[in-house]
Amino acid sequence: MVTGSGPAETVSLDAPHGLPGHLVGFVEALRARGIPVGPSETVDAGRVMTVLDLLDREVLREGLACALLRRTTHRATFDGLFDLWFPVAVGQRGTTADEVEIPRTPAGEVDIPALRELLAELLAMDDPGRQLEQLVGQLVEQLGQYQSARGLSFSAYQALKEVQPQTLLAKILAGLAVGPDTSPFDAEVARRAARQRIAGFRTAVEAETRRRVAERIGRERVASYGVARQAEDVDFLRASERELAELRRSSQRLARILASRLAVRRKHARRGEIDLRRTLRKSMSTGGVPIDLVNRKPHPGRPELVLLCDVSGSVAGFSNFTLLLVSALREQFSRVRIFAFVDNTDEVTRFFDPNTQLDEAMARIFAESDVVGFDGHSDYGGALTAFAREFPDAVTSRSSLLILGDARTNYRDPQLDTLRALVGVAKHAHWLNPEPRTQWGSGDSAADRYREVIEMHECRSARQLTDVVSRLLPI
């Protein structure tokens, strides 16, 4: 048992199965966060640990990363879990005479201005090393504590709100000797370096906070919410800008995965259906016993795809990523037509080509197309009506119709008959909804009514979307 400074700080950190069992627990945590680690990688990691200095955390971190990771996109999640399973310390960090301490006023309170000056000095140093690490530990211990329902706990926000490291840029630049005579290039390099150091300090505070909280409630619980998720597992409706940017970067890889799945399905479907008449005629030579099955000659042809997507703010992340994914898959279809809407529908196919950036395409959609009509609030019924009226030839018997959106109509008429007519014409019709299935039909959502007309699928993350689309897209 590890006992810390607070009354609630008693959490077992024992490894009942020794170091091998601890490594297996770490691997299981990686798998739980979407990182594929197989038995062979686990064995390799065990062998790595037998030849490394286990007291050197950074060497151990790099060794395990080389053995366990297959893609660079897994690194952020790996680092977060590594800090929990192989912490830099246990309990409150001690201080020695030669290490920095948080400055205090004569009354014994933390001297915030002096603390900010000290932090700026450390961040301006080329290698603050142990000093900055010790300051982070003290900052979390002394400023990050708060009383929760379960007892004493820690908060990174609580630790940083008084210090406000993001406002120290000018002081750090002064420490880096950036002045009026500095060239614009050198000044920009120093500015970026200062921002990176501030971001690194915030990351260190957050990691220290997770370590202290994990000692109270368990590393598994902290890992479930405090460690960066894989881009494919991020909830579209709750994704941050950083996570959405990572999703965009991974779109080409996901597009290749989808294209390979479609190619496999197309290959398996090349034989065509069994031709019963020709099979029976051929079996006459064997007394009517079918020996060889005769297949109809397949008539391969790439299908048409019609995409109708809500680009309003509430589902923008979901729609943007899906548009990017479909744009990367355009060569898999004979024709792709893309329609966007908020409360009015317009065709936006012309804004998408292999060389167009998504941000540029979305900016042009709102600037040059007619997707916003009366008040700029989502109106699925009005959008469906406008689509059927303005583009009556868009959906044919050869088309696969995909509708993207959360089906929240702002309590307006959902126009079910219009959707029913479109579904009746299309060869395939599916609705992809980024909201949890449990929320369909709640509030102004008409999802429960739309799903009676069209097959609706929950697509909350890129992984879920990829799986659904790979099953739904026609071959």
Side-chain angles (χ1 to χ4, degrees):
M1 302 293 288
V2 177
T3 303
S5 59
E9 191 175 359
T10 53
V11 173
S12 175
L13 296 180
D14 295 338
H17 302 291
L19 193 56
H22 192 71
L23 175 62
V24 170
F26 177 57
V27 168
E28 290 175 349
L30 292 174
R31 291 173 180 164
R33 298 302 281 177
I35 298 180
V37 181
S40 61
E41 288 86 0
T42 306
V43 171
D44 290 341
R47 291 173 176 170
V48 165
M49 295 182 71
T50 64
V51 297
L52 294 181
D53 181 3
L54 299 183
L55 297 180
D56 190 332
R57 289 184 71 249
E58 294 310 310
V59 170
L60 179 62
R61 183 196 301 268
E62 297 304 321
L64 291 181
C66 290
L68 297 174
L69 301 186
R70 303 178 185 178
R71 295 202 299 264
T72 57
T73 55
H74 296 157
R75 187 56 193 259
T77 303
F78 171 88
D79 285 338
L81 292 173
F82 180 89
D83 289 337
L84 291 176
W85 260 258
F86 300 91
V88 67
V90 176
Q92 180 180 352
R93 301 196 197 193
T95 58
T96 58
D98 59 341
E99 292 176 336
V100 297
E101 293 187 12
I102 290 182
R104 293 185 175 275
T105 64
E109 297 179 352
V110 175
D111 189 341
I112 298 299
L115 175 60
R116 286 168 52 82
E117 291 288 344
L118 174 61
L119 178 59
E121 291 177 7
L122 291 176
L123 292 179
M125 295 170 59
D126 290 335
D127 185 18
R130 178 70 175 173
Q131 291 180 314
L132 185 60
E133 181 181 307
Q134 199 66 34
L135 181 63
V136 167
Q138 295 181 46
L139 191 68
V140 173
E141 179 68 31
Q142 299 182 34
L143 294 182
Q145 289 190 22
Y146 74 99
Q147 198 68 26
S148 70
R150 294 178 176 269
L152 189 65
S153 190
F154 296 90
S155 165
Y157 170 78
Q158 188 81 13
L160 293 170
K161 73 173 184 177
E162 296 291 343
V163 180
Q164 298 182 350
Q166 69 277 6
T167 64
L168 297 177
L169 183 61
K171 293 181 181 295
I172 298 172
L173 290 176
L176 293 174
V178 177
D181 298 333
T182 306
S183 68
F185 176 79
D186 292 337
E188 180 61 25
V189 171
R191 191 173 292 107
R192 293 189 180 185
R195 291 197 181 102
Q196 289 176 354
R197 294 181 185 186
I198 292 173
F201 171 73
R202 296 182 66 94
T203 301
V205 171
E206 292 168 356
E208 177 70 7
T209 303
R210 288 194 297 268
R211 180 184 73 83
R212 298 306 306 275
V213 174
E215 293 173 355
R216 288 168 166 75
I217 65 175
R219 57 172 69 96
E220 290 80 7
R221 287 186 59 188
V222 175
S224 67
Y225 69 83
V227 176
R229 296 165 292 180
Q230 294 300 294
E232 295 94 320
D233 297 320
V234 172
D235 193 321
F236 286 120
L237 302 185
R238 296 176 176 83
S240 64
E241 287 298 324
R242 181 191 62 80
E243 291 170 331
L244 288 176
E246 183 63 34
L247 267 180
R248 296 188 187 103
R249 286 193 291 269
S250 65
S251 62
Q252 291 297 326
R253 179 178 57 81
L254 293 177
R256 290 195 296 270
I257 293 174
L258 271 177
S260 63
R261 291 181 182 178
L262 291 175
V264 170
R265 288 177 57 200
R266 196 171 285 125
K267 179 180 179 180
H268 290 167
R270 281 179 180 171
R271 295 183 62 185
E273 299 177 350
I274 295 176
D275 189 330
L276 183 59
R277 184 179 64 85
R278 293 180 61 190
T279 298
L280 292 177
R281 287 178 61 87
K282 191 173 182 179
S283 69
M284 292 177 64
S285 61
T286 58
V289 180
I291 299 299
D292 298 315
L293 299 179
V294 180
N295 298 92
R296 290 191 177 94
K297 184 178 180 180
H299 299 281
R302 292 182 298 174
E304 296 180 358
L305 181 63
V306 177
L307 202 64
L308 181 61
C309 57
D310 182 358
V311 293
S312 63
S314 61
V315 292
F318 166 65
S319 297
N320 292 0
F321 178 76
T322 309
L323 285 171
L324 195 64
L325 198 62
V326 171
S327 181
L329 286 170
R330 292 182 68 153
E331 63 182 21
Q332 301 292 324
F333 305 94
S334 61
R335 187 183 186 188
V336 175
R337 297 185 69 179
I338 302 174
F339 299 85
F341 69 89
V342 177
D343 57 346
N344 192 48
T345 305
D346 196 5
E347 183 167 7
V348 297
T349 311
R350 63 189 183 278
F351 300 136
F352 292 89
D353 61 59
N355 301 318
T356 301
Q357 296 295 321
L358 179 64
D359 293 340
E360 177 186 346
M362 297 307 297
R364 292 186 63 190
I365 286 176
F366 285 100
E368 303 176 29
S369 65
D370 187 19
V371 297
V372 179
F374 179 67
D375 60 1
H377 293 90
S378 295
D379 182 356
Y380 281 78
L384 289 170
T385 301
F387 174 65
R389 181 182 65 249
E390 300 295 333
F391 308 98
D393 60 339
V395 179
T396 68
S397 59
R398 295 179 298 175
S399 302
S400 293
L401 175 64
L402 283 183
I403 301 178
L404 315 178
D406 58 6
R408 294 201 170 270
T409 63
N410 288 296
Y411 300 102
R412 296 169 179 173
D413 186 353
Q415 296 291 340
L416 297 178
D417 290 338
T418 303
L419 177 62
R420 188 175 288 107
L422 292 171
V423 172
V425 173
K427 183 176 183 180
H428 307 281
H430 302 278
W431 189 307
L432 309 184
N433 193 328
E435 283 197 336
R437 192 180 300 270
T438 55
Q439 296 181 13
W440 294 0
S442 63
D444 63 341
S445 172
D448 55 341
R449 301 173 65 185
Y450 281 133
R451 67 186 298 191
E452 296 176 357
V453 179
I454 185 173
E455 189 174 357
M456 188 173 288
H457 307 269
E458 180 187 281
C459 293
R460 298 173 56 191
S461 65
R463 190 184 304 277
Q464 202 173 16
L465 174 66
T466 303
D467 292 339
V468 170
V469 171
S470 64
R471 289 188 286 105
L472 297 184
L473 286 182
I475 58 174

